[in-house]
Amino acid sequence: MAGNLHLPVVDLASPDLRAAAESVRQACVEHGFFYVTNHGVDRGLLQAVFAQSKGFFDLPMEEKMALLRSANHRGYTPPYAEKLDASSQFVGDLKESFYIGPIDDGDMHNDVNQWPSEERLPSWKETMKLYIAAILDTGTRILSLIALGLDLDADFFHKVGALNCPSTFLRLLHYPGEVNESDSGNYGASAHSDYGVITLLVTDGTPGLQICREKDRNPQLWEDVHHIDGALIINIGDLLERWTNCVFRSTLHRVVAVGKERYSVAFFLDPNPDTLVQCLESCCSEACPPRFPPIKSSDYIFGRINSTYK
């Protein structure tokens, strides 16, 4: 069952930072999802990312498998390799994907990312690097608004070292159009919440993304997230929920099969791996003590990721 959903839209070019921060706070409390416009990522660059993504996923399976996801979570993930909802009756989700982790331009010899052949996809690596730089800048601006919405300084996440070499992952996603009869009822991505702080998502406009704002409701109500041309979709993850003592709530979401190919690009912006995540002072009190013990960011996120793969 899908309902009608109207998510907040936040204008990142607004001169009124406080009003924008309040809109972000309200979105994070009530929905866990919102749109941003005037985000600064060039439309031509977005088109190039989707073209390069399609170019990779169109390669023969043996070429994609040569870049199979490593222990460092970089590279190709084939269909059925990931099961986001452990209760799913299926072997795995329908999607295929490609992960690109943090890039250190000053030390390319230690780059643990995997890259397609430049002979096959000559502009691929440079396009992805340009996009990562642009979307990281947008994500940093959103985190400033989140900090203001939590009654913290705008540069709070900088001050605590979270944005000093943050853990960033770009994930290219491809969902199949035709589904085998044996996969009837399976999901492109089964129900899950994201593990980290914020995710910045752009889609090709094909429907399929749904959210469930009340995790414990029975039966669950799933609502379609509609495409807004030129806008990014932002959602918060479980680590930010933990950081805010559940003032902000991460939201279950999934991608349903709609009988049409679908491409999306997710950018996960998470803290420096050594960041200690503990209840923010503005989110706890004697009446509302911390619900979770402090934990190192990498311990939490990679623990969650590792449990997702067979």
Side-chain angles (χ1 to χ4, degrees):
M1 180 182 182
N4 217 11
L5 178 69
H6 298 284
L7 293 175
V9 180
V10 178
D11 182 357
L12 289 189
S14 170
D16 191 342
L17 280 182
R18 286 288 170 186
E22 184 53 41
S23 295
V24 167
R25 178 187 173 89
Q26 185 176 357
C28 292
V29 169
E30 296 181 2
H31 304 279
F33 270 74
F34 57 98
Y35 302 98
V36 295
T37 58
N38 292 314
H39 44 72
V41 181
D42 182 74
R43 182 182 288 267
L45 178 56
L46 286 169
Q47 291 171 341
V49 169
F50 277 105
Q52 295 294 332
S53 176
K54 185 178 188 305
F56 173 78
F57 289 120
D58 281 348
L59 293 174
M61 180 57 78
E62 59 266 26
E63 289 190 45
K64 293 186 286 189
M65 290 298 287
L67 297 170
L68 188 64
R69 183 183 62 91
S70 66
N72 291 316
H73 301 288
R74 272 82 160 174
Y76 176 65
T77 302
Y80 309 111
E82 183 184 68
K83 185 155 97 168
L84 292 168
D85 180 358
S87 68
S88 170
Q89 65 186 18
F90 295 93
V91 172
D93 298 343
L94 296 170
K95 67 184 179 302
E96 56 180 341
S97 69
F98 194 94
Y99 281 106
I100 304 169
I103 300 169
D104 183 358
D105 284 324
D107 189 8
M108 292 305 288
H109 295 296
N110 287 330
D111 182 12
V112 296
N113 285 299
Q114 303 192 72
W115 303 100
S117 158
E118 289 193 9
E119 291 181 7
R120 284 293 245 162
L121 297 167
S123 302
W124 206 90
K125 183 176 181 179
E126 191 57 34
T127 299
M128 299 307 162
K129 287 172 65 177
L130 287 171
Y131 182 69
I132 288 168
I135 200 73
L136 174 58
D137 180 69
T138 301
T140 302
R141 290 159 60 201
I142 293 169
L143 284 179
S144 292
L145 293 176
I146 285 175
L148 288 172
L150 290 165
D151 296 323
L152 303 167
D153 292 338
D155 61 353
F156 168 80
F157 291 105
H158 283 281
K159 284 179 176 176
V160 298
L163 294 175
N164 177 23
C165 299
S167 178
T168 59
F169 275 85
L170 184 68
R171 190 176 193 191
L172 311 174
L173 292 141
H174 172 231
Y175 300 87
E178 295 182 7
V179 176
N180 295 327
E181 191 174 329
S182 61
D183 275 314
S184 178
N186 197 1
Y187 293 95
S190 52
H192 66 287
S193 54
D194 289 350
Y195 311 143
V197 173
I198 60 169
T199 304
L200 295 85
L201 179 73
V202 60
T203 80
D204 65 356
T206 304
L209 177 62
Q210 297 180 333
I211 70 172
C212 175
R213 287 181 283 170
E214 297 179 59
K215 301 174 188 177
D216 301 321
R217 175 173 171 162
N218 190 16
Q220 291 176 330
L221 174 65
W222 289 93
E223 300 170 290
D224 294 315
V225 177
H226 301 290
H227 178 73
I228 297 180
D229 191 43
L232 301 178
I233 300 168
I234 312 300
N235 67 280
I236 65 171
D238 298 334
L239 195 64
L240 188 58
E241 176 178 287
R242 187 181 181 111
W243 221 337
T244 62
N245 211 30
C246 297
V247 172
F248 289 0
R249 304 303 294 265
S250 62
T251 301
L252 279 179
H253 50 287
R254 68 186 185 187
V255 176
V256 297
V258 293
K260 181 182 177 184
E261 270 190 304
R262 182 178 188 271
Y263 292 87
S264 65
V265 181
F267 182 73
F268 303 98
L269 176 50
D270 298 323
N272 176 292
D274 292 326
T275 304
L276 188 66
V277 175
Q278 53 190 338
C279 182
L280 299 169
E281 286 187 18
S282 62
C283 297
C284 57
S285 62
E286 281 190 25
C288 187
R291 301 186 186 196
F292 310 101
I295 191 169
K296 199 165 75 167
S297 173
S298 58
D299 290 345
Y300 180 80
I301 292 172
F302 282 104
R304 292 287 303 278
I305 291 173
N306 288 332
S307 69
T308 302
Y309 292 93
K310 299 188 292 293

